[in-house]
Amino acid sequence: GPRRVVIDGDEGTTVNADPARLRIILRNLVDNAFKYSPPGSTVNVRIEQWEGRLVRLDVRDEGDGVPVTARERIFQ
């Protein structure tokens, strides 16, 4: 079903990264947010400068999240 996407953050933020790999990462994060959140919910994407030289990318959805029992395996 449809989802609303809100993109927010520091306009003009730059990152020194491989564009193809960054595109894959972004696509996976947003696809998962769509896949695991209820229809009609909102997916928020935010980018910001973080701790000086770093860039922080935050993708949030309204899904149930990763079950505690699966977190260790997923985030190895």
Side-chain angles (χ1 to χ4, degrees):
R3 310 288 189 289
R4 180 174 170 227
V5 178
V6 175
I7 300 172
D8 187 31
D10 300 332
E11 197 169 316
T13 299
T14 60
V15 61
N16 184 15
D18 180 320
R21 289 181 187 245
L22 186 57
R23 187 175 297 110
I24 290 168
I25 292 166
L26 289 170
R27 176 119 192 202
N28 285 340
L29 289 171
V30 173
D31 282 351
N32 282 338
F34 269 65
K35 184 175 179 181
Y36 296 108
S37 62
S41 64
T42 300
V43 173
N44 293 287
V45 180
R46 179 167 177 76
I47 187 167
E48 60 189 351
Q49 290 296 135
W50 187 59
E51 294 185 4
R53 294 184 35 191
L54 302 176
V55 172
R56 179 178 176 161
L57 174 69
D58 188 35
V59 178
R60 294 179 184 242
D61 61 62
E62 298 174 18
D64 291 335
V66 176
V68 174
T69 57
R71 290 181 187 171
E72 186 176 327
R73 180 178 53 84
I74 291 173
F75 298 114
Q76 287 183 15

